[in-house]
Amino acid sequence: AQSVTQLGSHVSVSEGALVLLRCNYSSSVPPYLFWYVQYPNQGLQLLLKYTTGATLVKGINGFEAEFKKSETSFHLTKPSAHMSDAAEYFCAVSGAYGNNRLAFGKGNQVVVIP
Amino acid sequence: DTGVSQDPRHKITKRGQNVTFRCDPISEHNRLYWYRQTLGQGPEFLTYFQNEAQLEKSRLLSDRFSAERPKGSFSTLEIQRTEQGDSAMYLCASSPRDRGTDTQYFGPGTRLTVL
């Protein structure tokens, strides 16, 4: 079984400051890891994903995440926050073998302060 | 590629009524997933289809819930005898194949409110 922990439901960041969202996972098989963003009244949109290969993954809108197996982590970062980054962010994991269902964390609501 | 669509976007019903939601996946996507999202939580897996076959159902999917995907195209999720605890956002997602590396593309969701 797979699970994800995201701490701190609400994250406030100043415009232009570093965005850091933490994600720790648990998986009994090699994990596939995903970050999704959800804007109000919209579906989830994929930011980036890690499956195999390079552990530093770059995604859309300037976001990136690094897979660290030793720390069972997949933290999301963006060097400089923009007002348009205000949204809810979800980390998710699925297993390399099986039905590919996604197990999501509880999410982080990001507020960008001008 | 018009994306995953869901209908209706909002549904208000009274306790005890039946409701049905529809999901149209991206054309030629083999896999279709249903998730449920309650306030302050991440989406939770309900069930998924490989073409027309329903391959797994979560324990969250009680006997009052039924899902179908006739002909492997659109899917419907029906809830019978709705309860207030069924109030949630119901999300549908599709992916091209059955590989774990495939991205799941999500629709906008159907928000259900049970009074």
PDB file of all heavy atoms in Angstrom, chain A residues 81-106:
ATOM      1  N   ALA A  81       8.003  32.982  -5.818  1.00  0.00           N
ATOM      2  CA  ALA A  81       6.545  32.849  -5.881  1.00  0.00           C
ATOM      3  C   ALA A  81       5.913  33.991  -6.654  1.00  0.00           C
ATOM      4  O   ALA A  81       6.337  35.162  -6.554  1.00  0.00           O
ATOM      5  CB  ALA A  81       5.976  32.815  -4.467  1.00  0.00           C
ATOM      6  N   HIS A  82       4.882  33.631  -7.388  1.00  0.00           N
ATOM      7  CA  HIS A  82       4.086  34.611  -8.134  1.00  0.00           C
ATOM      8  C   HIS A  82       2.660  34.554  -7.625  1.00  0.00           C
ATOM      9  O   HIS A  82       2.211  33.519  -7.127  1.00  0.00           O
ATOM     10  CB  HIS A  82       4.146  34.262  -9.634  1.00  0.00           C
ATOM     11  CG  HIS A  82       3.601  35.321 -10.522  1.00  0.00           C
ATOM     12  ND1 HIS A  82       2.265  35.378 -10.873  1.00  0.00           N
ATOM     13  CD2 HIS A  82       4.197  36.378 -11.127  1.00  0.00           C
ATOM     14  CE1 HIS A  82       2.069  36.418 -11.656  1.00  0.00           C
ATOM     15  NE2 HIS A  82       3.214  37.041 -11.821  1.00  0.00           N
ATOM     16  N   MET A  83       1.953  35.655  -7.774  1.00  0.00           N
ATOM     17  CA  MET A  83       0.570  35.704  -7.289  1.00  0.00           C
ATOM     18  C   MET A  83      -0.271  34.577  -7.885  1.00  0.00           C
ATOM     19  O   MET A  83      -1.163  34.034  -7.225  1.00  0.00           O
ATOM     20  CB  MET A  83      -0.063  37.054  -7.603  1.00  0.00           C
ATOM     21  CG  MET A  83       0.579  38.236  -6.896  1.00  0.00           C
ATOM     22  SD  MET A  83       0.505  38.081  -5.101  1.00  0.00           S
ATOM     23  CE  MET A  83      -1.261  38.198  -4.818  1.00  0.00           C
ATOM     24  N   SER A  84       0.039  34.212  -9.116  1.00  0.00           N
ATOM     25  CA  SER A  84      -0.741  33.169  -9.798  1.00  0.00           C
ATOM     26  C   SER A  84      -0.491  31.776  -9.220  1.00  0.00           C
ATOM     27  O   SER A  84      -1.163  30.811  -9.604  1.00  0.00           O
ATOM     28  CB  SER A  84      -0.427  33.170 -11.293  1.00  0.00           C
ATOM     29  OG  SER A  84       0.939  32.900 -11.500  1.00  0.00           O
ATOM     30  N   ASP A  85       0.481  31.656  -8.306  1.00  0.00           N
ATOM     31  CA  ASP A  85       0.748  30.348  -7.687  1.00  0.00           C
ATOM     32  C   ASP A  85      -0.217  30.031  -6.552  1.00  0.00           C
ATOM     33  O   ASP A  85      -0.181  28.926  -5.998  1.00  0.00           O
ATOM     34  CB  ASP A  85       2.189  30.297  -7.152  1.00  0.00           C
ATOM     35  CG  ASP A  85       3.222  30.384  -8.265  1.00  0.00           C
ATOM     36  OD1 ASP A  85       2.953  29.865  -9.362  1.00  0.00           O
ATOM     37  OD2 ASP A  85       4.293  30.982  -8.030  1.00  0.00           O
ATOM     38  N   ALA A  86      -1.053  30.972  -6.194  1.00  0.00           N
ATOM     39  CA  ALA A  86      -2.035  30.729  -5.138  1.00  0.00           C
ATOM     40  C   ALA A  86      -3.015  29.658  -5.585  1.00  0.00           C
ATOM     41  O   ALA A  86      -3.743  29.835  -6.573  1.00  0.00           O
ATOM     42  CB  ALA A  86      -2.775  32.013  -4.817  1.00  0.00           C
ATOM     43  N   ALA A  87      -3.005  28.538  -4.907  1.00  0.00           N
ATOM     44  CA  ALA A  87      -3.814  27.377  -5.298  1.00  0.00           C
ATOM     45  C   ALA A  87      -3.603  26.299  -4.242  1.00  0.00           C
ATOM     46  O   ALA A  87      -2.882  26.493  -3.266  1.00  0.00           O
ATOM     47  CB  ALA A  87      -3.383  26.847  -6.666  1.00  0.00           C
ATOM     48  N   GLU A  88      -4.250  25.148  -4.458  1.00  0.00           N
ATOM     49  CA  GLU A  88      -4.022  24.009  -3.579  1.00  0.00           C
ATOM     50  C   GLU A  88      -3.138  22.994  -4.302  1.00  0.00           C
ATOM     51  O   GLU A  88      -3.346  22.719  -5.484  1.00  0.00           O
ATOM     52  CB  GLU A  88      -5.345  23.368  -3.144  1.00  0.00           C
ATOM     53  CG  GLU A  88      -5.176  22.336  -2.041  1.00  0.00           C
ATOM     54  CD  GLU A  88      -6.409  22.194  -1.163  1.00  0.00           C
ATOM     55  OE1 GLU A  88      -7.512  22.529  -1.631  1.00  0.00           O
ATOM     56  OE2 GLU A  88      -6.251  21.732  -0.007  1.00  0.00           O
ATOM     57  N   TYR A  89      -2.184  22.451  -3.580  1.00  0.00           N
ATOM     58  CA  TYR A  89      -1.204  21.552  -4.161  1.00  0.00           C
ATOM     59  C   TYR A  89      -1.286  20.189  -3.475  1.00  0.00           C
ATOM     60  O   TYR A  89      -1.306  20.113  -2.244  1.00  0.00           O
ATOM     61  CB  TYR A  89       0.214  22.123  -4.014  1.00  0.00           C
ATOM     62  CG  TYR A  89       0.424  23.377  -4.818  1.00  0.00           C
ATOM     63  CD1 TYR A  89      -0.049  24.603  -4.367  1.00  0.00           C
ATOM     64  CD2 TYR A  89       1.077  23.332  -6.053  1.00  0.00           C
ATOM     65  CE1 TYR A  89       0.109  25.750  -5.122  1.00  0.00           C
ATOM     66  CE2 TYR A  89       1.249  24.477  -6.808  1.00  0.00           C
ATOM     67  CZ  TYR A  89       0.763  25.677  -6.337  1.00  0.00           C
ATOM     68  OH  TYR A  89       0.926  26.817  -7.098  1.00  0.00           O
ATOM     69  N   PHE A  90      -1.312  19.147  -4.298  1.00  0.00           N
ATOM     70  CA  PHE A  90      -1.420  17.792  -3.783  1.00  0.00           C
ATOM     71  C   PHE A  90      -0.242  16.946  -4.258  1.00  0.00           C
ATOM     72  O   PHE A  90       0.084  16.937  -5.446  1.00  0.00           O
ATOM     73  CB  PHE A  90      -2.714  17.120  -4.256  1.00  0.00           C
ATOM     74  CG  PHE A  90      -3.954  17.732  -3.701  1.00  0.00           C
ATOM     75  CD1 PHE A  90      -4.647  18.694  -4.424  1.00  0.00           C
ATOM     76  CD2 PHE A  90      -4.438  17.356  -2.452  1.00  0.00           C
ATOM     77  CE1 PHE A  90      -5.805  19.272  -3.914  1.00  0.00           C
ATOM     78  CE2 PHE A  90      -5.589  17.929  -1.936  1.00  0.00           C
ATOM     79  CZ  PHE A  90      -6.271  18.895  -2.667  1.00  0.00           C
ATOM     80  N   CYS A  91       0.346  16.219  -3.318  1.00  0.00           N
ATOM     81  CA  CYS A  91       1.336  15.206  -3.638  1.00  0.00           C
ATOM     82  C   CYS A  91       0.624  13.863  -3.706  1.00  0.00           C
ATOM     83  O   CYS A  91      -0.311  13.605  -2.926  1.00  0.00           O
ATOM     84  CB  CYS A  91       2.421  15.188  -2.562  1.00  0.00           C
ATOM     85  SG  CYS A  91       3.749  14.019  -2.853  1.00  0.00           S
ATOM     86  N   ALA A  92       1.029  13.012  -4.627  1.00  0.00           N
ATOM     87  CA  ALA A  92       0.385  11.708  -4.772  1.00  0.00           C
ATOM     88  C   ALA A  92       1.422  10.656  -5.111  1.00  0.00           C
ATOM     89  O   ALA A  92       2.466  10.961  -5.712  1.00  0.00           O
ATOM     90  CB  ALA A  92      -0.699  11.753  -5.850  1.00  0.00           C
ATOM     91  N   VAL A  93       1.119   9.424  -4.745  1.00  0.00           N
ATOM     92  CA  VAL A  93       2.015   8.303  -5.007  1.00  0.00           C
ATOM     93  C   VAL A  93       1.221   7.141  -5.583  1.00  0.00           C
ATOM     94  O   VAL A  93       0.058   6.937  -5.243  1.00  0.00           O
ATOM     95  CB  VAL A  93       2.738   7.867  -3.709  1.00  0.00           C
ATOM     96  CG1 VAL A  93       1.758   7.374  -2.656  1.00  0.00           C
ATOM     97  CG2 VAL A  93       3.811   6.819  -3.990  1.00  0.00           C
ATOM     98  N   SER A  94       1.842   6.420  -6.489  1.00  0.00           N
ATOM     99  CA  SER A  94       1.299   5.138  -6.924  1.00  0.00           C
ATOM    100  C   SER A  94       2.452   4.146  -6.966  1.00  0.00           C
ATOM    101  O   SER A  94       3.618   4.533  -6.944  1.00  0.00           O
ATOM    102  CB  SER A  94       0.618   5.237  -8.290  1.00  0.00           C
ATOM    103  OG  SER A  94       1.569   5.476  -9.303  1.00  0.00           O
ATOM    104  N   GLY A  95       2.124   2.890  -7.002  1.00  0.00           N
ATOM    105  CA  GLY A  95       3.158   1.873  -6.988  1.00  0.00           C
ATOM    106  C   GLY A  95       3.563   1.469  -8.390  1.00  0.00           C
ATOM    107  O   GLY A  95       2.788   1.574  -9.328  1.00  0.00           O
ATOM    108  N   ALA A  96       4.796   1.014  -8.520  1.00  0.00           N
ATOM    109  CA  ALA A  96       5.300   0.608  -9.832  1.00  0.00           C
ATOM    110  C   ALA A  96       4.579  -0.640 -10.343  1.00  0.00           C
ATOM    111  O   ALA A  96       4.554  -0.899 -11.531  1.00  0.00           O
ATOM    112  CB  ALA A  96       6.795   0.330  -9.754  1.00  0.00           C
ATOM    113  N   TYR A  97       3.978  -1.400  -9.412  1.00  0.00           N
ATOM    114  CA  TYR A  97       3.242  -2.585  -9.833  1.00  0.00           C
ATOM    115  C   TYR A  97       1.832  -2.478  -9.301  1.00  0.00           C
ATOM    116  O   TYR A  97       1.611  -2.145  -8.153  1.00  0.00           O
ATOM    117  CB  TYR A  97       3.901  -3.846  -9.269  1.00  0.00           C
ATOM    118  CG  TYR A  97       5.409  -3.822  -9.368  1.00  0.00           C
ATOM    119  CD1 TYR A  97       6.180  -3.728  -8.222  1.00  0.00           C
ATOM    120  CD2 TYR A  97       6.035  -3.862 -10.595  1.00  0.00           C
ATOM    121  CE1 TYR A  97       7.553  -3.679  -8.303  1.00  0.00           C
ATOM    122  CE2 TYR A  97       7.409  -3.801 -10.683  1.00  0.00           C
ATOM    123  CZ  TYR A  97       8.170  -3.713  -9.543  1.00  0.00           C
ATOM    124  OH  TYR A  97       9.518  -3.662  -9.628  1.00  0.00           O
ATOM    125  N   GLY A  98       0.850  -2.761 -10.132  1.00  0.00           N
ATOM    126  CA  GLY A  98      -0.510  -2.721  -9.612  1.00  0.00           C
ATOM    127  C   GLY A  98      -1.432  -1.896 -10.467  1.00  0.00           C
ATOM    128  O   GLY A  98      -1.217  -1.719 -11.666  1.00  0.00           O
ATOM    129  N   ASN A  99      -2.473  -1.352  -9.843  1.00  0.00           N
ATOM    130  CA  ASN A  99      -3.544  -0.745 -10.616  1.00  0.00           C
ATOM    131  C   ASN A  99      -3.350   0.731 -10.887  1.00  0.00           C
ATOM    132  O   ASN A  99      -4.232   1.353 -11.454  1.00  0.00           O
ATOM    133  CB  ASN A  99      -4.880  -0.966  -9.897  1.00  0.00           C
ATOM    134  CG  ASN A  99      -4.926  -0.263  -8.554  1.00  0.00           C
ATOM    135  OD1 ASN A  99      -4.155   0.641  -8.285  1.00  0.00           O
ATOM    136  ND2 ASN A  99      -5.841  -0.680  -7.702  1.00  0.00           N
ATOM    137  N   ASN A 100      -2.237   1.297 -10.451  1.00  0.00           N
ATOM    138  CA  ASN A 100      -1.918   2.691 -10.731  1.00  0.00           C
ATOM    139  C   ASN A 100      -2.837   3.679 -10.045  1.00  0.00           C
ATOM    140  O   ASN A 100      -2.876   4.848 -10.421  1.00  0.00           O
ATOM    141  CB  ASN A 100      -1.930   2.961 -12.248  1.00  0.00           C
ATOM    142  CG  ASN A 100      -1.078   1.961 -12.986  1.00  0.00           C
ATOM    143  OD1 ASN A 100      -0.084   1.473 -12.457  1.00  0.00           O
ATOM    144  ND2 ASN A 100      -1.477   1.646 -14.189  1.00  0.00           N
ATOM    145  N   ARG A 101      -3.614   3.243  -9.058  1.00  0.00           N
ATOM    146  CA  ARG A 101      -4.414   4.196  -8.306  1.00  0.00           C
ATOM    147  C   ARG A 101      -3.485   5.176  -7.616  1.00  0.00           C
ATOM    148  O   ARG A 101      -2.399   4.829  -7.177  1.00  0.00           O
ATOM    149  CB  ARG A 101      -5.253   3.482  -7.257  1.00  0.00           C
ATOM    150  CG  ARG A 101      -4.415   2.825  -6.166  1.00  0.00           C
ATOM    151  CD  ARG A 101      -5.211   2.575  -4.917  1.00  0.00           C
ATOM    152  NE  ARG A 101      -6.010   1.386  -5.014  1.00  0.00           N
ATOM    153  CZ  ARG A 101      -6.736   0.917  -3.999  1.00  0.00           C
ATOM    154  NH1 ARG A 101      -6.746   1.545  -2.849  1.00  0.00           N
ATOM    155  NH2 ARG A 101      -7.472  -0.161  -4.163  1.00  0.00           N
ATOM    156  N   LEU A 102      -3.926   6.426  -7.533  1.00  0.00           N
ATOM    157  CA  LEU A 102      -3.153   7.450  -6.853  1.00  0.00           C
ATOM    158  C   LEU A 102      -3.611   7.569  -5.400  1.00  0.00           C
ATOM    159  O   LEU A 102      -4.810   7.623  -5.132  1.00  0.00           O
ATOM    160  CB  LEU A 102      -3.327   8.795  -7.550  1.00  0.00           C
ATOM    161  CG  LEU A 102      -2.727   8.901  -8.960  1.00  0.00           C
ATOM    162  CD1 LEU A 102      -3.141  10.219  -9.608  1.00  0.00           C
ATOM    163  CD2 LEU A 102      -1.214   8.794  -8.902  1.00  0.00           C
ATOM    164  N   ALA A 103      -2.646   7.627  -4.491  1.00  0.00           N
ATOM    165  CA  ALA A 103      -2.931   7.929  -3.091  1.00  0.00           C
ATOM    166  C   ALA A 103      -2.442   9.345  -2.841  1.00  0.00           C
ATOM    167  O   ALA A 103      -1.255   9.638  -3.021  1.00  0.00           O
ATOM    168  CB  ALA A 103      -2.230   6.948  -2.166  1.00  0.00           C
ATOM    169  N   PHE A 104      -3.360  10.231  -2.458  1.00  0.00           N
ATOM    170  CA  PHE A 104      -3.058  11.646  -2.314  1.00  0.00           C
ATOM    171  C   PHE A 104      -2.808  12.010  -0.858  1.00  0.00           C
ATOM    172  O   PHE A 104      -3.378  11.423   0.060  1.00  0.00           O
ATOM    173  CB  PHE A 104      -4.226  12.492  -2.814  1.00  0.00           C
ATOM    174  CG  PHE A 104      -4.373  12.541  -4.309  1.00  0.00           C
ATOM    175  CD1 PHE A 104      -5.074  11.560  -4.987  1.00  0.00           C
ATOM    176  CD2 PHE A 104      -3.816  13.583  -5.040  1.00  0.00           C
ATOM    177  CE1 PHE A 104      -5.225  11.609  -6.363  1.00  0.00           C
ATOM    178  CE2 PHE A 104      -3.959  13.644  -6.413  1.00  0.00           C
ATOM    179  CZ  PHE A 104      -4.664  12.644  -7.080  1.00  0.00           C
ATOM    180  N   GLY A 105      -1.987  13.063  -0.680  1.00  0.00           N
ATOM    181  CA  GLY A 105      -1.905  13.696   0.620  1.00  0.00           C
ATOM    182  C   GLY A 105      -3.090  14.633   0.820  1.00  0.00           C
ATOM    183  O   GLY A 105      -3.932  14.788  -0.070  1.00  0.00           O
ATOM    184  N   LYS A 106      -3.124  15.289   1.989  1.00  0.00           N
ATOM    185  CA  LYS A 106      -4.252  16.160   2.298  1.00  0.00           C
ATOM    186  C   LYS A 106      -4.185  17.497   1.596  1.00  0.00           C
ATOM    187  O   LYS A 106      -5.155  18.245   1.581  1.00  0.00           O
ATOM    188  CB  LYS A 106      -4.345  16.369   3.810  1.00  0.00           C
ATOM    189  CG  LYS A 106      -4.740  15.122   4.566  1.00  0.00           C
ATOM    190  CD  LYS A 106      -4.985  15.425   6.038  1.00  0.00           C
ATOM    191  CE  LYS A 106      -5.489  14.174   6.754  1.00  0.00           C
ATOM    192  NZ  LYS A 106      -5.773  14.454   8.179  1.00  0.00           N
TER     193      LYS A 106
END
